[in-house]
Amino acid sequence: MAERDELLILRAQKGDAGAFETLMAQYEKKIFNVALRTMRNREDAADMAQDAIVKIYRNLASFKGDCSFGAWAYRITLNTCLDELRRQKKRPAVSFDDMTEEGKMQFEDNSEKPEESLERKELAAVINAAIASLETDYRVAVTLRDVQGLSYQEIADATRTSLGTVKSRINRARAQLQKKILPYRERFQ
């Protein structure tokens, strides 16, 4: 763990709100991305990321440094999301925004040609759909590794699973993704 993080954690544990804000500024984007990949929609992800940050703040005193602060924060985020997914299974709901994309504003990047922009968006949609279709354990593992760049050990710490299980999940997730994306290969050369 970086010395700067250690100092911020110690100060935040003593009640320094500014230190906590500085610490969270380093991790909030990654926390949101973990939540987004787990929840599969931006609104729920934003809610879960916010809930996770509140839980991190409330439980900061229990952080002992056995693992990196990032892995600890991602584990809280992941658990927050998984708890919500379990609650949603008990009471399924459909978002109007999920049914129609008209409710979401998207801005074009004018620096690329329209056909390049469309191709990039189509490829991103194929990849996101492939990731979203994975089982939760596989989706979380491959997201933490390939999107967030966490080490295998950090993923094991964050998900509270063995290193072998993490490696297996990532390997299986990548194999499934390859099969799902393979039919589109020629289209996006």
Side-chain angles (χ1 to χ4, degrees):
M1 184 170 8
E3 187 176 325
R4 182 171 188 264
D5 281 358
E6 286 181 35
L7 292 173
L8 288 172
I9 292 166
L10 288 173
R11 287 178 38 212
Q13 286 175 328
K14 293 179 181 177
D16 183 343
F20 182 76
E21 286 178 26
T22 303
L23 187 63
M24 283 297 95
Q26 296 175 44
Y27 291 96
E28 67 184 337
K29 187 173 182 179
K30 289 182 180 180
I31 288 170
F32 174 77
N33 286 331
V34 168
L36 179 61
R37 293 292 180 186
T38 307
M39 300 305 296
R40 299 186 220 176
N41 86 47
R42 297 188 84 69
E43 292 80 16
D44 287 347
D47 290 344
M48 293 305 98
Q50 189 64 41
D51 288 353
I53 290 171
V54 169
K55 288 179 183 180
I56 291 166
Y57 180 76
R58 287 183 180 153
N59 294 295
L60 194 57
S62 70
F63 177 70
K64 304 292 183 224
D66 331 358
C67 61
S68 73
F69 179 79
W72 182 77
Y74 303 143
R75 179 175 46 224
I76 290 174
T77 304
L78 183 58
N79 287 339
T80 301
C81 293
L82 293 175
D83 288 345
E84 178 61 22
L85 288 173
R86 284 185 208 103
R87 277 191 290 274
Q88 287 179 2
K89 266 187 179 175
K90 291 179 184 176
R91 53 170 176 72
V94 178
S95 166
F96 182 72
D97 285 339
D98 290 342
M99 294 179 354
T100 175
E101 289 296 317
E102 294 171 19
K104 298 181 181 176
M105 302 226 11
Q106 296 181 350
F107 299 96
E108 294 294 321
D109 179 7
N110 295 327
S111 64
E112 60 188 347
K113 296 178 183 173
E115 59 272 5
E116 291 172 342
S117 176
L118 181 61
E119 187 173 300
R120 183 180 46 77
K121 287 179 182 178
E122 287 176 357
L123 178 59
V126 166
I127 292 170
N128 286 332
I131 291 172
S133 71
L134 295 173
E135 291 178 34
T136 302
D137 291 339
Y138 293 169
R139 186 175 65 250
V140 167
V142 81
T143 297
L144 291 175
R145 178 68 186 155
D146 294 337
V147 177
Q148 298 297 326
L150 269 63
S151 71
Y152 290 108
Q153 187 59 55
E154 287 175 320
I155 297 167
D157 292 341
T159 59
R160 291 187 179 172
T161 56
S162 71
L163 196 56
T165 299
V166 168
K167 289 178 181 179
S168 173
R169 286 177 180 171
I170 290 170
N171 188 40
R172 290 178 183 164
R174 287 176 177 164
Q176 287 181 18
L177 287 172
Q178 189 174 17
K179 286 179 187 175
K180 291 171 190 283
I181 296 172
L182 193 61
Y184 301 96
R185 194 172 93 196
E186 287 181 21
R187 193 164 130 199
F188 299 112
Q189 286 288 332

